[in-house]
Amino acid sequence: MGKLWLICIASISILLPFLCNAFSPETPTDRRVLVLLDDFAIMSSHSLYFNALKSRGFDLEFKLADDPKIALQRYGQYLYDALILFCPSVERFGGSIDVAAIVNFVDSGHDLIVAADVNASDLIREVGTECGVDFDEDPSAMVIDHIGYAVSGTEGDHTLIASDDFIKSDVILGGKKIEAPILFRGIGHAVSPANSLVLKVLSASPSAYSANPKSKLSTPPPLTGSAISLVSIVQARNNARLLITGSLSMFSNRFFRSGVQKAGSQTKHEKSGNEQFLTEISKWIFHERGHLKAVNVKHHRVGETDEPALYRINDELEYAVEIYEWSGTSWEPYVANDVQLQFYMMSPYVLKTLSSDKKGLYSTSFKVPDVYGVFQFKVEHQKLGYTSLSLSKQIPVRPYRHNEYERFIPAAYPYYGAAFSMMAGFFIFSFAHLYSK
Amino acid sequence: MPTNLNFEMARSLVGFTVLLLFLSICESASFFQPISDSHRSAAVELFSPDHGSLKSLEETYEALRTFDVLGIEKKPDVTATACRLVSETVGSSSSTLKNVFYALKANSIVKCKINDKAYQGIITRLNAAVDGASSLPDFYYSVGGLVLVKGSKGDVHLADADGIFRSVKAFRQSDGRWRSSSSNPESSAFAAGIALETLAGVVSLASPELDQSLISTLNNDISKLFDSIEKYDDGALYFDDKLVDGHDHQGPLATTSSVVRGLTAFAAVTDERLNIPSNKILGLANFFLGIGVPGDAKDLFNQIDSLACLESNRVSIPLILSLPSTVLSVTKEDLLQVNVNTVLGSNAPPLTVKLVGVFTSGSKAASLVESQELLFDDGTGMYNLKNLPKSIDVGSYTFVFEIVLHELEHEKIYITGGQKKVPIFVSGLIKIENAEIAVLDSDLGSIETQKKLDLAGQNAVSLSANHLQKLRVSFKLTTPHGLAFKPHQALLKLRHESKVEHIFVVGNSGKQFEIVLNFLGLVEKFFYLSGRYDIELAVGDAVMENSLLLAIGHIELDLPEPPEKATRPPPQPVDPYSRYGPKAEITHIFRAPEKRPPKELSLAFLGLTFLPLLGFLIGLLLLGVNLKNFPSNAVPATFATLFHVSIGAVLSLYVLFWLKLDLFQTLKLLGFLGVILVLVGHRVLSHLASTSAKLKSA
């Protein structure tokens, strides 16, 4: 009995690392998250956010950022599926974690949430830079907005911002409109225009600027207006998803529960939009939305069901693919009207929008071009907020065989007629020539 | 039975250094607000059966206690559940000491019906437990249980109170901390709180009075314990056990809470005045208030319970000065209101709030106002300053208040914490005048075009300039009191059509703000981009109520052509919406089929091709062709017939070749037919040749 128990434990501990991997369509559940904190107080003061994650089935493991025992991987296997960095002031991570380890973690398809704050350490700024955003370099700078601030009896320096400039994407922010503005207090960042993977989810208003509120502004602020990003997301090419923000307090219970009234607006919202915004965006970050998979790619000639090894030019063919979206618990049919198929050889010969049956099946039919060669069926679906789908399947196209051409061409009847009348004449002539006297 | 102190707060294993965070959340407000409605709503949310709490008696007690302190109507189902749990626990002899203790605690709030027999059973059990106790928790639960029974039944005494007092005191360490059991070498402030509460229970249960000297030695221990108190920058004080072994580490909130409970319980039973500086009590109150609204049920209970202990303690009751609003508008003539409450928000004794001084933030100048008293308003229960002093203009200030208690005795009971500094923003409407924009000629400085601007309304200025000219924007800002005003944000923004932006800080001399852009010096900075630039002006400050961001208009700049090595303008962000989306459909253009004549035409020409054959046949008839030469002998005639049949077969093969056969089938058959044809043809032709030779020779 004791031995059996030991074996059990040993096999579990051997298997465990293999069970925890990046988000994969095969095992989309079982998500372990490492939360690194500056201080365990954040567990209590930000508990609403953590509870929202826990209630969705995430297994959060809280550690201090300078804990000497923390590690992201052991024996080459990652121990976590995602990492949350709520440690803006950490100067050096404990254990084996450093910026390179975090970058490798993301490079292997894992998700990351980074919250910086005023006086963010160089380390967190470096993590931000690796993620493709640049925080304001002035360590005491904050985002200030003298027009779009949140009205508050006790906060008069206009660094508590009520922002409602969201990205227009239902997949990132959920289908329900966020009515109340988002409370934000922290540092701004800029996203590099050359980086097409970073998206500004929450931008500052045009009147905002990033500066130290306590000192006089003598040089133009490095970040101003809508160029300031308050919350940004990254979807890497390997579908790893990242959230970067310059405010840790926007995740706090205080901001979640606080009412909000934007300066100059008469509407006072009972509750800020922070909870809805951050919960919805965490669903996106943790692949509960916008993660697509394509299965059952099929193509065949019209009227047949088997997939041929090759097509002949001018064949009519049908192509079908099923696309599903992960909803956090199950794969739901993906409904869209802009999935496109390319029939591709060096460049697309045919590009057609697939029609959907609203149950996940996308199909179309078209005629194979009259050019032979090695073609590809390509579905390159890239949509704001969704993981990119890239399917390609090689298929050769052959020309007509010699006996597949048309045999009786009406235009050639005179030639046929001439030949046959010639033959008839010859037959008669042979009699006339041989036997006539 | 647990032997170490991880018995009751196993969930909050973690450290709890709250204020660091709190400070980062509300840096500007370094004063503390008493308990408010947000705590009540949080309590209702956290202590609800569907939130997962109220499972154990301990959690039930915590919920009941928190509701009780906050004055929340108890929900009937909570009370009913609690009573059921209480009577189950009290009635059963197998329930643990800890559960009995919490059952009695919960009972002291909900007042369930427990019969005398059950009480007797419990008293015997607890007495036995006191006698057999060997660790601090055992003492804590059993003595605490007896105190609670005494609270509801009255006639409970400890026979050997002195002895128990001494055995509890054996856990004391020299630094004022306590150990939880004799086997555990680690001492903690958390255990100290437990021990004090237990000893307070022993004192109240002792039937002959305890030896006073025992109690006074304890007084020294408490002073020593308070020497190890820790401090945050904003004046909050707390206890924290720095244990190496993390497992029974309680965290500052639980530790401080335990000490406060023990201290207040002990202060309540002793006649002596405890030798604790009253500002330490205020510091502890500040610590609990500084947490804000905790997100965890346990933390909320610790906070509320400790504050309730402080609210009515016998050492000194903290009074909290708070302001509902620290942003005052001179334009709207806002009242300066000050609230003085106890930590739980109930009314303070009669007192006067004095405004001692007002200082400009960041400067060390003397106070701007005379010391004055604030008027008490009965309606709101607040202390008001009727009018802001004349000397206070818009800006950020530090107001210094002082609380003076009316009755001297109160000064022993209450602690006010001396002078209180509160940062206050005084905002107002800033007058903007003389706003104008002009294009100047560079060499002479003469004005080419000048436009007045209305910075309160719409502007659509359209200017044009070349690189030899200058642009000047100027305006004047005055405060409501007519003084010069320097906003934090005074920025001029030029945005080119291609979205390249240039930002300039508008400088000032006194009230006058002016910026002159000399385009000659800026051509390189502008990347030699000629064209339309939109002009935006942003003027804003924390105390400026009419901060503005205004599109003034545009200027057409005519800049020289860029030299070869000029820097390129930086790339501008691409609109994310345009980057995605469906592409235009492509359909393959098929090769057009060859042009063919209509079928009728082909058929007509087919008919024409038979005409020569017809002509040939008619010609043969006209020539009078006959078959007189056909061999008459049977053998040559057979061969001749075969010969022509063969020719016919070959021709038919050609027809079949056209209709269906392929080349190889045709050649195969043709080879076979060809041999026959040659053989037969040879016989026929040689026969014909010999016949004709005979004729000639004949």
Side-chain angles (χ1 to χ4, degrees), chain A residues 45 153 209 254 340 370 435, chain B residues 21 25 326 488 583 591 644:
Chain A
S45 60
Y209 63 108
R254 206 174 94 93
Q340 292 183 319
D370 54 358
Y435 310 117
Chain B
L21 182 85
I25 293 171
T326 58
H488 190 248
K583 294 182 194 134
R591 209 178 296 132
H644 288 284

Side-chain angles (χ1 to χ4, degrees), chain A residues 383-400:
Chain A
K383 203 170 171 186
L384 187 68
Y386 286 93
T387 53
S388 53
L389 273 186
S390 182
L391 308 173
S392 73
K393 192 162 191 184
Q394 201 163 303
I395 188 86
V397 173
R398 62 166 177 83
Y400 285 123

Side-chain angles (χ1 to χ4, degrees), chain B residues 352-384:
Chain B
T352 308
V353 179
K354 265 186 178 170
L355 176 62
V356 181
V358 176
F359 303 92
T360 313
S361 295
S363 84
K364 292 201 171 92
S367 169
L368 297 168
V369 296
E370 300 275 298
S371 172
Q372 54 184 304
E373 282 187 9
L374 268 58
L375 296 175
F376 184 66
D377 179 4
D378 280 327
T380 56
M382 302 222 203
Y383 298 84
N384 299 337

